[in-house]
Amino acid sequence: MVTTSRAVPRRTILAVPGSSDRFIEKARTLPVDGIFLDLEDAVAPAVKVESRQRIVAALTDDRGFTAGLVTVRVNGWESPWTYGDVIDVVTAAGARIDALVLPKAQSAAQVQALDLLLTQVEHTAGLPIGGIGLEVQIEDAVGLLHVNEIAASSPRLASLVFGPGDFMASAGMGGLNVGAQPAGYPADAFHHVLMSILVAARAHGLQAVDGPFVAIRDVEGFRRSAELSAALGYDGKWVLHPAQVDVGNEVFSPNSADFERAQRIMAAYAHATQLAQGAVGAIVVDEEMVDEAGVKLAAAILARGRAAGMEEKS
């Protein structure tokens, strides 16, 4: 069973510490596409276990969340908490969870282990088998080397997510501002990493999501970071603060001019195909040549725009 959450928009995914009732409450109505209730980096070791019940209470609260995608980030397999995170949270609130987020993935086997454990919990809790998806973070050099196998590891997989903080530490990059370009390098230091993750994701029908930009007051810095990954083709980016939400939603949505041009291309190509009874090579739209590759690009822009709630002109 392939997870249904692959098709859900992920322009902005809000990180919500599972140890904070205040942040959980604030997250309920923010206009993000998704949230993840965190049991990993945002939660101190001393309160990880008790935070599971706080997340269960938040998920089972009938007020729900405005976000269309609700996920939980469990602790990675290098920790002693992964098993308990899955058992406690999914057993009690699995019907309200779209996906689990696995951090620090280094191999396909780690994803498959979580898949198997999740299947057992779904059986025990009476949940649909395979109904909960997986989102996997690539956060270090080992994970990047194995990203293709990771992307192919489970039908539950919905997205690959870049984790810039741990990756910067793994690679020995300079700088302390997670998600920002390290000083002294004249090009995009993350280009190879982002492109490798993107290619692996697309080869297996997954979404690709950029990681956080931690300077929450530097909205323009966040915009620059988001624009770089959006230009490559990323579906969205993690956000840490409400100030980043509107910018993220804007950057990862097609602009209105591109959306309207994509509509013209699709309409013109469909008309030409009908007239030529399918024998169409290239056509001219807005004084530019458009062939089958251009039609595929237009279709992708239309799909992203529809997912973002943009309305097509009749």
Side-chain angles (χ1 to χ4, degrees):
M1 177 178 177
V2 175
T3 180
T4 58
S5 67
R6 288 185 181 181
V8 178
R10 286 171 169 81
R11 296 172 301 169
T12 46
I13 306 293
L14 178 69
V16 185
S19 55
S20 171
D21 290 327
R22 181 170 69 89
F23 284 119
I24 290 172
E25 285 304 305
K26 185 178 291 188
R28 289 195 183 277
T29 57
L30 286 176
V32 290
D33 285 339
I35 66 165
F36 73 89
L37 300 167
D38 195 16
L39 284 167
E40 200 221 9
D41 283 350
V43 178
V47 294
K48 283 186 184 289
V49 173
E50 70 180 60
S51 294
R52 295 171 186 163
Q53 296 310 311
R54 183 171 282 106
I55 286 177
V56 167
L59 290 168
T60 54
D61 189 312
D62 288 337
R63 289 176 297 164
F65 294 88
T66 301
L69 182 76
V70 177
T71 70
V72 175
R73 181 164 73 168
V74 299
N75 286 280
W77 284 116
E78 80 288 347
S79 80
W81 297 291
T82 318
Y83 172 86
D85 290 345
V86 178
I87 299 295
D88 290 357
V89 176
V90 176
T91 298
R96 304 289 181 91
I97 298 171
D98 295 306
L100 296 182
V101 182
L102 177 65
K104 300 178 176 64
Q106 295 186 321
S107 68
Q110 290 180 332
V111 180
Q112 290 159 353
L114 183 56
D115 186 332
L116 289 170
L117 175 58
L118 191 48
T119 297
Q120 291 291 307
V121 178
E122 286 172 338
H123 269 295
T124 303
L127 298 167
I129 306 304
I132 297 174
L134 294 177
E135 314 214 343
V136 172
Q137 287 187 270
I138 306 299
E139 300 194 73
D140 62 18
V142 176
L144 188 66
L145 284 177
H146 296 140
V147 68
N148 292 319
E149 302 98 274
I150 289 170
S153 61
S154 168
R156 291 184 187 267
L157 265 177
S159 72
L160 297 180
V161 183
F162 176 43
D166 281 284
F167 191 88
M168 292 170 74
S170 168
M173 288 184 178
L176 295 173
N177 296 328
V178 173
Q181 294 292 322
Y185 188 69
D188 181 0
F190 302 124
H191 179 78
H192 169 72
V193 185
L194 289 170
M195 202 65 189
S196 297
I197 293 171
L198 178 68
V199 170
R202 294 296 189 251
H204 297 282
L206 310 179
Q207 293 200 41
V209 179
D210 192 11
F213 183 88
V214 300
I216 57 175
R217 304 299 179 187
D218 183 6
V219 177
E220 286 309 306
F222 172 83
R223 177 185 290 276
R224 288 192 298 273
S225 176
E227 286 176 342
L228 285 172
S229 54
L232 288 179
Y234 270 66
D235 297 286
K237 187 171 179 65
W238 279 8
V239 295
L240 303 179
H241 190 272
Q244 298 176 334
V245 173
D246 287 344
V247 173
N249 285 338
E250 174 197 335
V251 169
F252 289 99
S253 299
N255 63 55
S256 58
D258 285 345
F259 188 68
E260 291 171 8
R261 183 163 188 267
Q263 292 178 65
R264 291 196 298 275
I265 288 172
M266 297 301 292
Y269 200 80
H271 179 66
T273 300
Q274 183 180 26
L275 290 178
Q277 298 182 336
V280 173
I283 62 173
V284 177
V285 179
D286 300 337
E287 299 184 355
E288 290 187 13
M289 296 295 295
V290 176
D291 59 10
E292 186 176 352
V295 172
K296 289 178 181 178
L297 287 172
I301 288 173
L302 281 182
R304 291 178 64 188
R306 290 169 184 149
M310 299 177 73
E311 296 185 3
E312 298 179 54
K313 292 183 177 179
S314 56

